[in-house]
Amino acid sequence: MEQFYCLSVVLNILAGLILVYGMDLTKKSAGSISETVDLSKDEPEKKLIPGRRLPKNLSGLNDRGLRLVAGIAASCVGIVKLFCTYKNIPVLGDFIPSLAGIAGGVSILIEYYAANVTDDDFELSDSMQAIFINPRRYIGVACLVAALLHFIFPRAIFL
């Protein structure tokens, strides 16, 4: 189905950009997500976001609502893409993009949950931290590569 193909490519790109260029919400010292540093006096062409340098046109990737929607959508589309058939071959048709979408979406959702939990005693388990949060940039790059390959080779058996 072309709709899920387009959604898979777009959401993998969005999840990859959020994970690579977005601020890590689990860092307690990073400050609030809407906090930005005004550099109008020093360097007007750059705007810094705590913990990460981001161009002005990509600063929207730190929006909480966008992260929540992108995480849910990327995970759901990734799961649905696992069960779409390709030339009557179930599961293998879009295996890499669906796994990238699931991993990217889950990583974004775990990070979002960890940042918004109100319990002061809450702390992510070491396994969750090691699987989804610490390698977030690698997961983001995998999402971007999977989306690019899926876009270029739409009929490849694993892409």
Side-chain angles (χ1 to χ4, degrees):
M1 298 188 23
E2 290 81 17
Q3 296 89 348
F4 280 108
Y5 170 78
C6 179
L7 278 174
S8 176
V9 170
V10 169
L11 290 173
N12 275 340
I13 289 172
L14 183 60
L17 289 175
I18 288 172
L19 290 172
V20 172
Y21 291 110
M23 187 173 69
D24 187 359
L25 300 180
T26 60
K27 303 283 189 222
K28 299 294 182 193
S29 63
S32 77
I33 196 165
S34 62
E35 179 182 322
T36 57
V37 177
D38 184 21
L39 294 178
S40 58
K41 297 173 231 137
D42 300 332
E43 297 178 54
E45 69 276 354
K46 290 184 181 177
K47 188 180 236 184
L48 290 181
I49 293 176
R52 176 72 46 90
R53 289 181 184 228
L54 238 125
K56 286 182 185 178
N57 55 353
L58 291 180
S59 62
L61 294 176
N62 289 327
D63 182 46
R64 288 185 190 266
L66 176 69
R67 284 179 180 236
L68 179 63
V69 171
I72 291 171
S75 300
C76 291
V77 168
I79 291 169
V80 169
K81 289 290 278 185
L82 271 178
F83 299 110
C84 291
T85 61
Y86 173 76
K87 293 184 180 178
N88 297 326
I89 303 173
V91 176
L92 296 180
D94 295 323
F95 191 65
I96 293 173
S98 64
L99 285 183
I102 292 169
V106 168
S107 180
I108 291 170
L109 288 174
I110 289 173
E111 186 178 310
Y112 180 84
Y113 178 74
N116 290 322
V117 71
T118 58
D119 187 13
D120 292 334
D121 296 331
F122 173 78
E123 196 168 314
L124 279 176
S125 68
D126 292 336
S127 59
M128 291 287 245
Q129 188 82 22
I131 294 171
F132 291 108
I133 303 301
N134 293 342
R136 67 192 297 275
R137 288 191 181 130
Y138 299 118
I139 294 171
V141 169
C143 287
L144 290 171
V145 168
L148 180 68
L149 290 176
H150 194 48
F151 181 74
I152 293 173
F153 306 112
R155 300 283 181 195
I157 192 152
F158 287 107
L159 299 175

